[in-house]
C-alpha cells in the first residue's frame, strides 16, 4: 500500500495527520532534501510540500519529477500562496495533454 507524506513548517502540515497523511515538519532545506530522498526510497506515492519549503528544493523536485512515482505536489502554507503550486499543476497538464486547458492557449 502506498503512503502519502506532507512536508513543510509545523503549523502548515499537522492538520493533514487527521486525514491519514504522514506529516514531516522541516526546519531547513538541507533537512528537507535528505527527508525527500528518504521518502522516495520508502515508496511514498504522493509527497505534498509547502511552496515555501519547495523554494529551496527545486533541484531535488525536478530530479524526482522525471519518475512515475512519487507525485510531488506543492501546496500553500500558513505564510500564503506563492502561485508555484498552480503553475506546477498547469505545466503537468500541458505536458499530459499537449495544451493549456486551464488558462487557454494564447
Amino acid at each position: 500500500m502506498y503512503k502519502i507524506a506532507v512536508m513543510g513548517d509545523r503549523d502548515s502540515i499537522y492538520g493533514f495527520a487527521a486525514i491519514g497523511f504522514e506529516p514531516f515538519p522541516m526546519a531547513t532545506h538541507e533537512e528537507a532534501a535528505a527527508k525527500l530522498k528518504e521518502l522516495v526510497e520508502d515508496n511514498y506515492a504522493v509527497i505534498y510540500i509547502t511552496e515555501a519549503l519547495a523554494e529551496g528544493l527545486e533541484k531535488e523536485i525536478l530530479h524526482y519529477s522525471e519518475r512515475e512515482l512519487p507525485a510531488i505536489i506543492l501546496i500553500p502554507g500558513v505564510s500564503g500562496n506563492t502561485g508555484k503550486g498552480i503553475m506546477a499543476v498547469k505545466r503537468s497538464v500541458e505536458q499530459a495533454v499537449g495544451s493549456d486547458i486551464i488558462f487557454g492557449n494564447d
Side-chain angles (χ1 to χ4, degrees):
M1 178 177 201
Y2 289 115
K3 301 176 273 187
I4 300 173
V6 183
M7 296 172 52
D9 61 278
R10 185 177 301 275
D11 291 338
S12 297
I13 66 167
Y14 259 88
F16 288 95
I19 56 174
F21 298 176
E22 291 188 55
F24 294 95
M26 299 287 123
T28 67
H29 292 108
E30 294 78 20
E31 177 186 27
K35 179 54 77 174
L36 180 58
K37 181 178 184 207
E38 182 183 320
L39 295 174
V40 170
E41 291 170 356
D42 233 5
N43 292 319
Y44 277 76
V46 179
I47 302 171
Y48 291 100
I49 303 175
T50 60
E51 292 173 338
L53 183 62
E55 284 185 16
L57 300 173
E58 290 95 352
K59 184 176 86 172
E60 291 84 358
I61 292 171
L62 181 62
H63 172 74
Y64 294 122
S65 70
E66 312 260 330
R67 298 172 156 209
E68 190 171 317
L69 289 178
I72 298 176
I73 302 167
L74 305 184
I75 58 173
V78 294
S79 60
N81 183 350
T82 66
K84 289 186 183 244
I86 191 66
M87 292 309 293
V89 170
K90 182 179 179 287
R91 280 191 305 275
S92 294
V93 169
E94 287 174 352
Q95 185 177 15
V97 299
S99 178
D100 182 354
I101 64 170
I102 297 174
F103 297 107
N105 221 3
D106 295 333

